[in-house]
Amino acid sequence: MAPETLARAEGVTGELTLRRRVAADPRVDPVYELIVDGVFLMDTAETSTERLLADAVLNRLSVPRRILVGGLGLGVTLTELLTDVRVDRVDVVEIEPLLVRWLRSGLVPPVDATLADPRVHVAVADVGTVIHPRNIGGQTLGGIMLGLGHAVSQKWVYDKQYGVPLAK
């Protein structure tokens, strides 16, 4: 069965597509996928790296009261952080307003409930401007985490006939 497109629109970072598909493993059904400019970014079938990222921050901080997460993704890291009772506040900085709106609307349950948690504060902005060393708020955070999974796996795809880049 082909994935069902739940939402598609042109955003700040390019075309965003949110899809739902049936998983091979019924324990993780359904699976939600996030695609940016035609390139798979993440899904909810394999979330170990998102959970490990949260665990790494929580295990390194003796008192992880306030944490900044660069990028909302599909809310997995945020959800994992909120399972720790020591966390008083999680600031999520997401550059893509469409993604925030889609997730708040309930397109990927239960992320809307996670975003409604009073400990969660979402800012639509470029995380680089938030953690800039001249920004006093960026100097007072207890922990900062940025997901790099997609960035390290990016590659240029070239047109076979003309040799020009098609995507990155």
Side-chain angles (χ1 to χ4, degrees):
M1 181 178 198
E4 171 190 8
T5 299
L6 301 175
R8 175 182 283 149
E10 196 64 31
V12 174
T13 57
E15 183 188 66
L16 263 65
T17 305
L18 184 61
R19 300 190 315 186
R20 178 175 52 211
R21 66 178 163 84
V22 176
D25 183 348
R27 292 174 293 173
V28 293
D29 201 29
V31 172
Y32 295 91
E33 303 173 338
L34 180 59
I35 299 160
V36 179
D37 269 343
V39 178
F40 173 84
L41 184 64
M42 64 181 51
D43 67 20
T44 58
E46 171 43 271
T47 59
S48 61
T49 57
E50 291 90 342
R51 294 177 195 284
L52 287 170
L53 184 60
D55 289 344
V57 169
L58 293 171
N59 292 334
R60 288 185 185 268
L61 297 173
S62 58
V63 186
R65 290 197 174 121
R66 184 173 179 194
I67 299 170
L68 179 132
V69 178
L72 177 57
L74 293 172
V76 176
T77 301
L78 173 61
T79 301
E80 189 73 17
L81 289 169
L82 294 174
T83 64
D84 191 311
V85 296
R86 301 173 299 159
V87 174
D88 293 333
R89 178 180 173 128
V90 179
D91 294 288
V92 179
V93 181
E94 171 57 54
I95 197 167
E96 189 54 70
L98 279 174
L99 183 60
V100 174
R101 187 168 61 239
W102 291 347
L103 296 181
R104 280 189 170 147
S105 75
L107 285 176
V108 181
V111 182
D112 56 333
T114 301
L115 290 171
D117 186 303
R119 297 173 292 166
V120 175
H121 301 268
V122 178
V124 175
D126 182 337
V127 72
T129 63
V130 175
I131 61 173
H132 191 280
R134 291 190 181 162
N135 175 353
I136 190 68
Q139 298 174 30
T140 60
L141 297 167
I144 297 174
M145 53 196 324
L146 301 171
L148 299 175
H150 183 62
V152 295
S153 67
Q154 286 183 335
K155 64 178 182 176
W156 286 93
V157 179
Y158 293 90
D159 179 278
K160 290 180 182 177
Q161 182 176 359
Y162 300 105
V164 295
L166 295 174
K168 57 179 174 173

